Amino acid sequence: MKIAQVQVFEYDAAWVYGEFRMSRGRSAPSHRSLVVRVVTDEGLDGWAETCPNGRTYLPSFLEGERAALVVLAEAVVGLDPRNLARLTAAMDEVLLGSHAAKGALDVACWDILGQAVGLPVCELLGGRLQETFPLFVAVPVDTLQSMPGYVARELAAGVRVFQVKAGDDPTADVARVRAVLDAAGPDSTVIVDANGGWNLQAALQAVRALDGLPVRIEQPCRTMTDCAEVRRRMSLPMILDECVVGIEDLMLAKFTAGASGINLKTSRVGGLTKARAMRDAAQGLGMTFTVDDTWGGALTTAQNAHLAASSRPDSLTASTFFSEWVQPCVASGLPSSQGGRGSAPDAPGLGIMVDLDLLTAPVLDL
């Protein structure tokens, strides 16, 4: 079997509640998502998507990943999509970065591999260890009145893990966190995610005010060095996200920065092949993790679901179902969440069917 063609489509993944806000003014009602289709010479197609969260969240941005897909497609056409190690090596040989574009091609080939052997991707990632797994929702930066209301709505749906966006003024952030804690109640897990928005001084001010509260701190500063300094001066557990891209970063996160967990985003690390390696390493190191991504819809949800379902329950904090956060839902076959928990499809590959009518005409046909 060989890769015969790579096509790229687009659509706008719009947040269903209006405008999603993070620290430092990073906000948008939607993000443009790139949908990748890998076509084989034996009639199997694999699908995936990558959706950068604007231009200032990670080095990744839409125009850059679209351009990278042209270079990467030239490198992978003619390869066997089932040989994921060779595929990864071929992509790394032609581009140093562009992890999100590489990730989309990698996930699409996992979809093909699953279809070829008649198994869901989660079975190939180590086996289905969880029939259902907990989901978390991100609580965007908003007013003290709006954020608790958002939590209350999700609590009613069974969600018990909340990622509260912070990273602006420490005093305002602490007030928002306290309001969310009151709304979430003692049985919920609350993660305070600054997305690297605090500088070291602001981070120290925030964590001192939060000390003693039942929260975890995620990516307080942009660099691992500053995050490590914050961890040395606080008693709260710390999760790292944006600064953990490879296995070496994971080791530094635990043994240098003192992090107890990571937020694992497939598009940030370069695909399911690399995400699986990092997931397994984190489990071996006794770290916890959330399975997440930068943004996206149904295809991102399917990718997350298979990685989460094949993770150990004692290591996985929660995952995300973007398909229930954004519109339109460009694929069918995804199980709906039930009581704040998700599950992975049972059909081979990613187990979903893409609705081409909801996508643009191909913007790249390679």
Coordinates of all heavy atoms in Angstrom, one line a residue, residues 5 25 84 98 100 115 188 201 235 260 271 291 334 341 362:
Q5 N -2.0 10.4 -2.7 CA -2.5 11.7 -2.8 C -2.7 12.3 -1.4 O -3.1 11.6 -0.5 CB -3.8 11.8 -3.6 CG -4.3 13.2 -3.9 CD -5.7 13.1 -4.6 OE1 -6.4 12.1 -4.5 NE2 -6.0 14.1 -5.3
G25 N -5.3 38.9 26.1 CA -6.1 39.4 25.0 C -6.3 38.4 23.9 O -6.8 38.7 22.8
L84 N 4.5 3.7 10.2 CA 4.4 5.0 10.9 C 5.8 5.5 11.3 O 6.1 6.7 11.3 CB 3.5 5.0 12.0 CG 2.0 4.8 11.6 CD1 1.1 4.2 12.7 CD2 1.4 6.2 11.2
S98 N 7.1 22.5 12.4 CA 5.8 22.2 11.7 C 5.2 21.0 12.3 O 4.7 20.1 11.6 CB 6.0 22.1 10.2 OG 6.5 23.3 9.7
A100 N 2.4 20.6 13.9 CA 1.0 20.4 13.7 C 0.7 19.8 12.4 O -0.2 18.9 12.2 CB 0.3 21.8 13.9
Q115 N -8.0 1.0 9.7 CA -9.0 0.4 8.7 C -8.3 -0.8 8.0 O -9.1 -1.8 7.8 CB -9.3 1.5 7.6 CG -10.1 2.7 8.2 CD -10.2 3.7 7.1 OE1 -10.8 3.5 6.0 NE2 -9.8 5.0 7.3
S188 N -15.1 18.4 42.6 CA -14.5 18.8 41.3 C -13.0 19.0 41.3 O -12.5 19.3 42.4 CB -15.2 20.0 40.7 OG -16.6 19.8 40.5
Q201 N 7.1 37.5 38.3 CA 6.5 38.2 39.4 C 5.0 38.0 39.6 O 4.6 37.8 40.7 CB 6.8 39.7 39.2 CG 6.3 40.6 40.3 CD 6.7 42.0 40.2 OE1 7.9 42.4 40.3 NE2 5.8 42.9 39.8
S235 N 3.6 25.3 47.0 CA 3.2 23.9 47.4 C 2.2 23.2 46.5 O 2.0 22.0 46.6 CB 2.7 23.9 48.9 OG 1.5 24.7 49.0
S260 N 4.2 17.6 38.1 CA 3.6 16.3 38.4 C 2.8 15.9 37.3 O 2.3 14.7 37.2 CB 2.8 16.4 39.7 OG 1.8 17.4 39.5
G271 N 1.9 14.4 16.3 CA 1.1 13.3 15.9 C 1.0 12.2 17.0 O 1.6 12.3 18.1
V291 N -5.4 14.8 28.0 CA -5.3 14.6 26.6 C -6.2 15.7 26.0 O -7.4 15.8 26.2 CB -5.8 13.2 26.1 CG1 -5.9 13.1 24.6 CG2 -4.9 12.1 26.7
L334 N -19.0 9.7 16.1 CA -18.5 9.9 17.4 C -19.5 9.6 18.5 O -20.7 10.1 18.4 CB -18.0 11.4 17.6 CG -16.7 11.8 17.0 CD1 -16.6 13.3 17.0 CD2 -15.6 11.1 17.8
R341 N -18.5 12.1 30.8 CA -17.5 11.1 30.4 C -17.6 10.8 28.9 O -18.7 11.0 28.3 CB -17.7 9.8 31.1 CG -17.5 9.9 32.6 CD -17.6 8.6 33.3 NE -16.4 7.7 33.1 CZ -15.3 7.8 33.7 NH1 -15.1 8.7 34.7 NH2 -14.3 7.0 33.4
P362 N -11.1 21.4 -1.9 CA -9.7 21.3 -1.5 C -8.9 22.6 -1.8 O -8.9 23.1 -2.8 CB -9.2 20.1 -2.4 CG -10.4 19.4 -2.7 CD -11.5 20.4 -2.8

